[in-house]
Amino acid sequence: MSSFLTETNLKWRARAREVAEKVVRPLAAKYDRLQEYPWEIKEAIAEAGLMGVWIPKEYGGQGGGVIDLCLCVEELSRACGGVGVLYAVNALGTFPVLVGGTEEQKHQFLKPIAKGEKLISFGLSEKFAGSDAASLHATAVKDGDFYVLNGEKKWNTNGGAADIYTVFAVTDPSSKSRRTSAIMVEKGTPGFTIGKVEDKMGIRCVPVVEIHFDNCRVPAKNLLGGTPGLGFKHAMQTLDMARPGVAAQAMGLAQGALEYAMVYAGYREQFGAPISSFQMIQAMLADMATKTEAARNLVYVAALAVDNAAPNVSKLSAMCKLFATDTAMEVTTDAVQIFGGYGYMRDYPIEKYMRDAKITQIYEGTNQVQRMVVARSLVKESLGLKHLLDYIPKEVQKGVNDPETLKRLAEEAKQLAEETAGALDVPTHRS
Ligand code: CAA
């Protein structure tokens, strides 16, 4: 699957693999146990030049695309799923700026991220606005040269560690289509505080927190794009760009778990032979590898579609997220199964893969939301398939409100009623 990757793509993949093997894998268990941000790992990632891989050169980045981001996330996640998202979430925070920021905002907010001097976070979800991302409660009210933020954000990944926060808030409660805006908030702004720090099942090295705004005054020039009301669109475009990254995290986890399972199965002997010689284990490994490879192909295709601004980006992005993350859950669970009792114990890395994989089915849009996005796309696409109408029943095309159809249905109902009544009149052997 590397055949269509360029020399540059392969260079970033190789660098990420080196950091993953030298730095991330040996430290993964430690930071999972401590549930602390691994600054030494972040430094190694930054030193390798990976922090700005997806950021254009004019804003201090490496000028790569979402495909390069995905290759790096895949490699890091193969060693630790937490580190995969710790890295990818910076892309999520910067995408709204890339999509909707002014030139000035791009220079101001992207450069320090690209250089690895600052970290960024993405604040969309709230306690009462998860999948329904349009129903935000946090507000931003214009007051002279400032926006005054009030409210809170939930599930803020990278929160506390990050210096810059891309926050979505309601700027016009009376509008349906232009209700929200994105505002860049810097750490240390009075009225902005970190709240509850979550104690998580997986991805434990990256903080997930609540963030609170209490009359937090943010310069009006930090309103993304300078025009209010574009927040929901920016959020949706951002998620289209970012979901391949979550999919790459999941696929990297699947690949990592598969590799552990392959090695374990080759050494573990039962009934006088390595368990890898048993057909049931072979079938499991074959299915795990096939699904992971299928996920990899879909992730790369979706990432390249984003980079080439393909028209079907939302659908592909949702498809790769849902397929790769469901695959990761299956593959990591099967890897634990192959390890048997050892797989269930915290002494070995494999159970962490399963814990890390679970969140990928939930964040950046649950897989139920991804199916909704895919299905909505299919409904739209079906309108372009008019040439198939000759092969579809005419009455279905006319619909139930067509007078002819209504008349025919009424006649059929009447006939059925008469037949049924007749049938009831038939004497039975008991009468
Ligand atoms: N690109 C551009 N515009 C889009 C769009 C897209 N992908 N999707 C929708 N829009 C536009 C529509 O065209 C529409 O515009 P008009 O009003 O002008 O017609 C408008 O947005 C509203 O669209 P919908 O009617 O489709 O919106 P909806 O309310 O039905 O919601 C949804 C759609 C897909 C369910 C959306 O709410 C969604 O994606 N929800 C999931 C949210 C999510 O993924 N949250 C993750 C948080 S981040 C996170 O998890 C990070 C982390 O921790 C690491």
Side-chain angles (χ1 to χ4, degrees):
M1 182 58 199
S2 304
S3 54
F4 60 76
L5 296 176
T6 64
E7 287 292 313
T8 317
N9 299 150
L10 296 173
K11 178 186 82 179
W12 293 122
R13 187 174 73 176
R15 280 211 202 167
R17 186 171 294 180
E18 197 180 343
V19 175
E21 291 308 330
K22 283 193 181 152
V23 186
V24 179
R25 197 183 294 278
L27 291 171
K30 173 182 156 187
Y31 285 102
D32 178 57
R33 199 170 51 249
L34 292 176
Q35 197 166 201
E36 272 178 13
Y37 191 91
W39 289 102
E40 57 187 311
I41 294 179
K42 184 248 143 186
E43 286 312 320
I45 293 173
E47 267 171 35
L50 304 183
M51 287 306 289
V53 155
W54 66 91
I55 295 177
K57 287 192 171 149
E58 59 264 42
Y59 310 120
Q62 308 286 1
V66 170
I67 183 70
D68 301 288
L69 168 74
C70 287
L71 290 166
C72 294
V73 174
E74 176 186 349
E75 292 304 327
L76 296 171
S77 304
R78 203 163 142 194
C80 174
V83 171
V85 65
L86 166 154
Y87 172 69
V89 80
N90 290 286
L92 178 67
T94 57
F95 284 157
V97 185
L98 279 167
V99 159
T102 61
E103 271 306 298
E104 195 189 338
Q105 289 168 339
K106 287 179 185 172
H107 283 282
Q108 182 184 351
F109 296 112
L110 299 178
K111 276 185 175 163
I113 308 296
K115 286 187 192 149
E117 293 166 356
K118 287 187 177 177
L119 299 174
I120 191 165
S121 170
F122 178 83
L124 177 66
S125 301
E126 298 178 359
K127 278 182 191 160
F128 304 105
S131 292
D132 185 4
S135 67
L136 301 183
H137 290 76
T139 54
V141 177
K142 186 100 190 288
D143 181 20
D145 289 342
F146 290 87
Y147 271 96
V148 183
L149 259 82
N150 277 293
E152 57 188 24
K153 292 280 152 190
K154 188 84 177 157
W155 320 128
N156 193 258
T157 308
N158 233 9
D163 308 275
I164 306 169
Y165 295 73
T166 309
V167 175
F168 292 82
V170 179
T171 41
D172 184 357
S174 66
S175 170
K176 193 167 176 283
S177 58
R178 294 173 72 98
R179 196 168 166 265
T180 59
S181 306
I183 300 181
M184 309 306 292
V185 184
E186 301 204 50
K187 193 178 190 168
T189 309
F192 169 38
T193 50
I194 302 294
K196 182 177 178 229
V197 179
E198 306 291 350
D199 185 5
K200 308 179 297 302
M201 173 196 280
I203 58 160
R204 285 168 62 81
C205 69
V206 59
V208 173
V209 303
E210 286 178 8
I211 56 177
H212 300 284
F213 301 101
D214 182 11
N215 288 323
C216 174
R217 294 174 74 79
V218 179
K221 68 178 177 55
N222 286 13
L223 186 92
L224 212 61
T227 311
L230 302 175
F232 191 75
K233 223 171 192 77
H234 289 160
M236 292 300 112
Q237 289 170 331
T238 291
L239 290 166
D240 285 347
M241 288 174 82
R243 283 172 180 154
V246 178
Q249 181 202 7
M251 182 259 288
L253 277 164
Q255 182 66 35
L258 168 67
E259 286 166 359
Y260 275 125
M262 283 156 58
V263 175
Y264 177 88
Y267 281 91
R268 173 66 169 170
E269 288 197 9
Q270 287 294 281
F271 309 104
I275 62 169
S276 60
S277 64
F278 302 146
Q279 282 191 350
M280 276 195 254
I281 299 291
Q282 288 176 351
M284 284 174 84
L285 288 169
D287 285 349
M288 288 157 75
T290 305
K291 285 176 193 164
T292 305
E293 191 58 30
R296 178 172 292 113
N297 280 268
L298 197 46
V299 172
Y300 292 177
V301 164
L304 288 167
V306 173
D307 289 338
N308 290 294
N312 57 348
V313 154
S314 298
K315 183 179 80 173
L316 274 176
S317 178
M319 276 179 166
C320 81
K321 197 275 186 186
L322 106 82
F323 185 75
T325 63
D326 281 355
T327 295
M329 204 59 239
E330 277 180 50
V331 170
T332 55
T333 306
D334 282 352
V336 169
Q337 186 71 19
I338 287 175
F339 267 72
Y342 291 109
Y344 199 68
M345 302 303 149
R346 296 223 161 166
D347 299 353
Y348 304 98
I350 200 67
E351 56 85 33
K352 175 177 175 298
Y353 281 76
M354 188 175 146
R355 286 188 285 113
D356 285 350
K358 184 60 213 174
I359 190 62
T360 65
Q361 293 179 302
I362 299 171
Y363 62 20
E364 287 192 34
T366 62
N367 282 3
Q368 285 71 25
V369 162
Q370 309 309 322
R371 287 181 169 89
M372 197 163 121
V373 172
V374 173
R376 283 181 182 183
S377 268
L378 296 180
V379 169
K380 275 190 204 149
E381 279 171 34
S382 69
L383 302 175
L385 298 173
K386 295 266 191 284
H387 61 290
L388 297 180
L389 287 180
D390 284 350
Y391 305 94
I392 303 294
K394 292 285 174 284
E395 65 234 45
V396 171
Q397 294 178 44
K398 285 176 183 165
V400 283
N401 289 326
D402 167 59
E404 260 182 52
T405 311
L406 285 176
K407 195 174 152 205
R408 186 178 51 75
L409 287 174
E411 275 166 12
E412 279 174 11
K414 194 175 156 208
Q415 198 182 341
L416 187 69
E418 281 167 9
E419 281 170 16
T420 315
L424 289 176
D425 288 345
V426 176
T428 66
H429 66 277
R430 272 194 272 158
S431 59

